[in-house]
Amino acid sequence: MQQVSQDAVNLLLYVQIGQIITALLAIGAALWAFYKWRRRDEHFPRMTFEVDVNFIGRKDDQIVCELVAILENKGVVPIELKDFTFLLRGLSKKDNLGFGGEKIRKQLNFHRELSRGTFIPKDWPATFVYPGVRTEYNFVTMIPADTEFVRMQGDFLYLEGKDKSHHAARILAVPEFDGVKEPPK
């Protein structure tokens, strides 16, 4: 009888050890999964952002332009953004070239502000881009016909995360119209 109760105690001990090992392995697996998820940064935005200017044509002393922002969400979660703004600066044919100060890292200074605004209405709290989707935003404006070069800049803030911003810029030569030079196709 003593032997049976000793066998029962040993069996109970083995079962309890097995349960403890199973619990420790489950906790270890959960920690490993969390570590892998955190390391992959799936919650981190994977957004490509480009800006462009389409020069449409000349009317009187103005050139009609379409300012374009292209966003592509390459991540796996939808991304919300706010304060989606643009700034178009330029140099006219009469302007002298010059470098800016420390604020623009002594780069070429496009000192004429041609247009400033937002790609989304001001009463929208935010906009979003779903995973795998490429979205274009546009704004139509005009610039003086004597503008020779433009610098288009776009900026936005991610809704998640404090002060996480994204910027894109592009420099373009303005085509000449009136039969001298056709706009790019």
Side-chain angles (χ1 to χ4, degrees):
M1 197 59 143
Q2 187 80 345
Q3 182 64 25
V4 173
S5 65
Q6 184 62 35
D7 288 342
V9 170
N10 286 342
L11 181 60
L12 185 59
L13 183 62
Y14 290 138
V15 168
Q16 289 176 342
I17 290 172
Q19 289 173 340
I20 291 171
I21 290 172
T22 302
L24 290 174
L25 288 174
I27 291 170
L31 290 173
W32 176 253
F34 179 75
Y35 169 77
K36 291 289 283 183
W37 173 79
R38 187 79 176 140
R39 185 166 168 85
R40 283 182 53 175
D41 272 344
E42 288 189 9
H43 59 284
F44 185 79
R46 287 176 171 75
M47 181 80 77
T48 60
F49 179 27
E50 299 175 25
V51 291
D52 200 2
V53 179
N54 294 324
F55 300 99
I56 308 302
R58 181 176 172 161
K59 174 110 173 109
D60 301 323
D61 289 336
Q62 300 291 317
I63 297 173
V64 176
C65 303
E66 177 189 31
L67 311 181
V68 181
I70 304 161
L71 299 172
E72 186 173 359
N73 184 350
K74 295 183 177 269
V76 295
V77 295
I79 295 177
E80 289 183 289
L81 48 112
K82 64 181 181 176
D83 298 332
F84 194 7
T85 62
F86 65 83
L87 174 60
L88 183 67
R89 302 185 74 81
L91 291 170
S92 76
K93 295 175 183 177
K94 300 172 194 161
D95 290 334
N96 293 323
L97 296 179
F99 294 104
E102 289 297 326
K103 186 175 180 182
I104 63 169
R105 300 183 327 268
K106 298 185 180 182
Q107 296 181 78
L108 182 62
N109 189 8
F110 287 76
H111 59 275
R112 291 180 188 250
E113 183 175 311
L114 303 174
S115 187
R116 177 188 294 262
T118 62
F119 282 112
I120 60 174
K122 289 192 183 277
D123 60 341
W124 287 15
T127 188
F128 58 90
V129 182
Y130 282 115
V133 174
R134 176 184 161 104
T135 306
E136 291 189 14
Y137 296 84
N138 70 355
F139 186 91
V140 179
T141 189
M142 59 186 172
I143 61 173
D146 70 339
T147 305
E148 193 169 19
F149 300 101
V150 295
R151 181 183 187 274
M152 170 65 183
Q153 178 177 326
D155 305 281
F156 64 82
L157 295 175
Y158 291 101
L159 204 57
E160 294 292 322
K162 186 180 176 190
D163 298 328
K164 289 187 178 177
S165 60
H166 203 138
H167 314 275
R170 185 163 186 195
I171 309 296
L172 297 154
V174 178
E176 293 185 28
F177 292 93
D178 296 328
V180 179
K181 206 166 138 185
E182 291 298 316
K185 302 247 188 266

